[in-house]
Amino acid sequence: MRTFVIILLFILQSPMGSAQDMVVTYEGKSIESKILGQTVKYSIILPKDYLKSEKRYPVVYLLHGLGGNDYSWLEYGRLGQHIDDVVNKNEIQSMIYVMPEGYSTYYVNDFYGKFSYQDMFVNELVPFIDANYRTMPNNKNRATIGFSMGGFGALILPIKHPEVFSVCVPLSISVRTDDQYMTEDPTEWDEQWGRLFGGVGIYGEDRITQYYKDNSPFHLFNKTNLNRFKDLKIFIDNGDDEQTLSKSNEELHILLRDLNFDHEFRVRNGGHNFEYWRGSLTNGLNFIDDAFSQKPYRGDVKEHFSDTVNAAKLDLKLMNDDGFDVLLPVDYTTSLRYYPVVYFVGKFANSTKVAIANMLMHQTKAVKFPPIISVFIDLKSEMSFDSIMSIAKSNYRIREGRRFQSIIGFKEAGAKAFDYAVKNPDFTSCAVYDAPIDIETLKALTEDQIKSLNRTWFFVSTTDKSMNYKSNGLTHILFKEKDIYHEYRVSQGKGNVDWFLNELSDALDFSQKKIHY
């Protein structure tokens, strides 16, 4: 017993976190639902000062995916650890977190009236939480966040009940476009959608029932009813490695942009797993916290590039050679080796070229990027891209072979670089930033041309507020459909040079992996 007490005292006094500095977590609590005629489990996290104060708190409802349960966010999402960390750092306010059992309901009432889960959620669960815990019982202080099936729920609940919820963070939304819905495999469709929205055993357009439309974001968001959602704040986050959900989430973003409905949309590296969803918590909860405080969103948490190499010295290494600039590796004059080449295509000011040079030198010094020859092209001259490449190879020790050639483009010049790389698959990788890609050119590719693209890795990056949202998003969808390997990112930003420089490290890492694949 004495040993136990000593160990307990050590834990309570440990710098890893004392008991009073930690949130209070209850798992496996329950509510008796008259609507469902059964017990519904929920888990809850209370603020660390909840038991010592009379304060009231806003509430976040966290929804799990198909096959999950009320402790999915606790166990796999590591929610308690994350909240302890960010609250102790005063990054977000104290909140109550509720995680209900969602079964396989998609958080809606089923078509056949057998399981009215959404009615239970809105008319029983939310009032129960408000009555039994010190909440701030209004829609301005209620939010939803969920993954997969829970992502659908996190979006559909505020859409159907904006009087109850005003903020949502749907992750990897398990949603379908009408086309996907009509063509889904019959067995999978019956089990997942037909039982919910009506029409088990039905095919094609007959699947688009009125009940489905009444529960589809693609039909609920339209020009005639946008005013109903004017106070709804939405932050969608979806991994670029998703399959079916890449198209549906992207199409939803395009729809909202076409409707001029303000929202946040992100695509990061990752797939349909908790590693991705855990990575969504920081920005997602920051978004919710700012909305609860009636503040503009503070912006995404991201490491920013900072120059660590003397810019003046690097500027001297930029040499002009017949219409393009060249940056040579630091050991170029003291060695006789050959180097990979990266072509940077864009209307870059000299200061931007120096900033890129700084990044390259920093990455090379840290052994995160190989020594390369950098060629800066603005495509303003009358020289063709083929001519510039030929001159560069003649004048400098560029290693032979497509494996050692990469191209990175920005804006309009980036679109030209992308078009060149698609039509001339001589590059090991092609990365473009906020480029107005000609989607029709991609659609016109022959099967042989598509096969040849498998030798090139593509990286497409844009912002959720960019004017090029549609062409970039449709490129991602088309590449998915044609099984063309690529990475896709949608981030926060204005799509300007500062944004490009801050995001460039991703393309550099992408390029070096292919060069030394």
Side-chain angles (χ1 to χ4, degrees):
M1 179 63 72
R2 182 172 178 270
T3 302
F4 172 77
V5 172
I6 292 174
I7 293 173
L8 181 61
L9 286 173
F10 172 78
I11 293 173
L12 292 175
Q13 297 172 1
S14 169
M16 292 176 63
S18 61
Q20 62 262 29
D21 291 331
M22 302 176 72
V23 295
V24 183
T25 303
Y26 297 95
E27 182 181 321
K29 296 181 75 65
S30 63
I31 171 179
E32 293 299 325
S33 169
K34 293 181 180 179
I35 292 174
L36 298 182
Q38 67 177 62
T39 298
V40 178
K41 285 186 177 182
Y42 71 92
S43 295
I44 189 167
I45 294 179
L46 301 175
K48 62 183 181 180
D49 59 348
Y50 185 88
L51 301 178
K52 300 182 297 181
S53 74
E54 295 299 320
K55 289 170 56 179
R56 290 188 170 273
Y57 303 89
V59 185
V60 181
Y61 288 85
L62 294 102
L63 313 180
H64 64 76
L66 200 64
N69 51 44
D70 65 294
Y71 62 78
S72 293
W73 274 108
L74 289 178
E75 183 63 44
Y76 307 108
R78 304 173 190 170
L79 181 64
Q81 293 170 263
H82 181 85
I83 295 168
D84 275 334
D85 180 50
V86 294
V87 171
N88 286 333
K89 291 178 180 177
N90 293 315
E91 293 176 2
I92 63 173
Q93 63 187 296
S94 294
M95 300 180 246
I96 293 173
Y97 300 86
V98 180
M99 294 148 278
E101 183 83 44
Y103 309 100
S104 56
T105 64
Y106 274 75
Y107 303 88
V108 299
N109 299 332
D110 75 299
F111 173 79
Y112 300 98
K114 295 179 180 179
F115 207 73
S116 299
Y117 184 87
Q118 191 172 109
D119 286 350
M120 181 282 301
F121 200 112
V122 172
N123 298 319
E124 291 183 327
L125 178 63
V126 171
F128 175 87
I129 295 299
D130 287 341
N132 287 275
Y133 301 93
R134 295 195 310 277
T135 68
M136 301 173 74
N138 59 71
N139 68 335
K140 297 295 184 186
N141 288 284
R142 291 196 201 99
T144 58
I145 181 170
F147 62 88
S148 192
M149 178 186 80
F152 184 90
L155 182 60
I156 200 66
L157 280 164
I159 293 177
K160 300 282 281 189
H161 296 281
E163 78 283 0
V164 180
F165 307 97
S166 64
V167 194
C168 65
V169 181
L171 313 174
S172 310
I173 310 169
S174 182
V175 67
R176 302 292 188 272
T177 65
D178 286 2
D179 287 342
Q180 289 176 319
Y181 196 66
M182 288 188 290
T183 57
E184 186 128 346
D185 174 79
T187 302
E188 191 170 315
W189 186 83
D190 284 349
E191 292 178 357
Q192 192 165 356
W193 305 110
R195 64 181 175 81
L196 292 174
F197 302 130
V200 171
I202 288 177
Y203 302 89
E205 291 185 7
D206 290 340
R207 290 177 172 178
I208 310 299
T209 64
Q210 185 59 48
Y211 197 75
Y212 159 76
K213 291 180 181 179
D214 291 342
N215 288 278
S216 168
F218 288 99
H219 290 271
L220 291 169
F221 284 113
N222 59 69
K223 291 181 180 179
T224 62
N225 69 348
L226 282 185
N227 192 57
R228 172 175 164 81
F229 310 121
K230 61 183 176 64
D231 295 326
L232 178 58
K233 296 177 173 61
I234 303 175
F235 188 118
I236 301 170
D237 191 352
N238 190 52
D240 73 326
D241 295 333
E242 292 281 5
Q243 297 300 319
T244 302
L245 305 190
S246 284
K247 175 179 173 62
S248 59
N249 281 244
E250 195 70 37
E251 292 279 14
L252 182 58
H253 167 56
I254 290 173
L255 171 65
L256 293 176
R257 282 296 309 270
D258 287 347
L259 292 171
N260 293 317
F261 186 88
D262 190 36
H263 67 289
E264 301 293 328
F265 180 73
R266 305 289 183 269
V267 179
R268 298 180 292 111
N269 184 36
H272 207 75
N273 52 53
F274 267 100
E275 181 180 8
Y276 190 88
W277 301 321
R278 285 194 296 267
S280 303
L281 281 174
T282 296
N283 291 329
L285 290 179
N286 285 351
F287 180 79
I288 289 172
D289 178 64
D290 289 339
F292 283 163
S293 300
Q294 302 296 303
K295 297 177 181 177
Y297 176 47
R298 71 192 71 176
D300 293 355
V301 175
K302 182 178 175 63
E303 291 186 8
H304 292 272
F305 168 72
S306 58
D307 293 340
T308 56
V309 186
N310 186 285
K313 290 183 179 179
L314 285 173
D315 191 26
L316 296 176
K317 294 180 180 294
L318 283 170
M319 301 179 296
N320 183 267
D321 191 331
D322 200 9
F324 58 91
D325 291 330
V326 178
L327 175 70
L328 299 176
V330 292
D331 64 345
Y332 189 85
T333 57
T334 60
S335 75
L336 295 177
R337 61 161 291 187
Y338 287 75
Y339 299 88
V341 60
V342 176
Y343 296 94
F344 291 90
V345 186
K347 294 181 180 179
F348 299 127
N350 199 57
S351 59
T352 303
K353 296 174 186 177
V354 170
I356 294 172
N358 279 334
M359 183 178 294
L360 288 168
M361 299 294 282
H362 174 65
Q363 297 278 49
T364 303
K365 187 175 181 180
V367 200
K368 293 181 178 179
F369 200 75
I372 63 165
I373 293 172
S374 303
V375 179
F376 295 90
I377 306 170
D378 61 18
L379 294 183
K380 288 187 295 186
S381 69
E382 295 182 359
M383 293 178 61
S384 68
F385 197 71
D386 286 325
S387 298
I388 293 174
M389 290 176 63
S390 178
I391 294 172
K393 290 177 180 178
S394 296
N395 294 351
Y396 303 98
R397 297 194 305 274
I398 293 175
R399 194 176 296 284
E400 286 292 330
R402 59 171 298 282
R403 181 171 182 172
F404 303 103
Q405 292 189 147
S406 291
I407 187 169
I408 297 175
F410 179 54
K411 293 288 191 182
E412 287 75 13
K416 294 179 180 179
F418 184 87
D419 186 65
Y420 185 88
V422 167
K423 295 177 179 177
N424 303 275
D426 297 325
F427 299 93
T428 193
S429 66
C430 171
V432 293
Y433 284 83
D434 200 27
I437 297 170
D438 183 359
I439 190 66
E440 296 304 320
T441 298
L442 290 180
K443 290 179 179 179
L445 292 176
T446 65
E447 288 300 318
D448 287 341
Q449 287 175 314
I450 291 172
K451 287 181 181 178
S452 69
L453 292 182
N454 288 328
R455 303 171 63 197
T456 305
W457 285 7
F458 288 90
F459 184 100
V460 179
S461 181
T462 186
T463 75
D464 67 334
K465 305 298 189 294
S466 166
M467 294 302 294
N468 300 314
Y469 68 95
K470 187 171 290 186
S471 66
N472 283 238
L474 293 178
T475 297
H476 173 49
I477 292 172
L478 188 145
F479 274 9
K480 280 285 184 181
E481 292 173 346
K482 300 296 184 182
D483 199 25
I484 297 171
Y485 180 76
H486 70 290
E487 295 285 332
Y488 177 60
R489 304 286 186 273
V490 180
S491 57
Q492 184 187 32
K494 298 180 180 179
N496 55 19
V497 168
D498 289 339
W499 166 80
F500 168 71
L501 291 173
N502 193 48
E503 300 293 326
L504 181 58
S505 60
D506 287 343
L508 294 178
D509 183 59
F510 178 81
S511 301
Q512 66 87 17
K513 286 178 180 176
K514 189 62 164 70
I515 290 171
H516 288 164
Y517 185 60

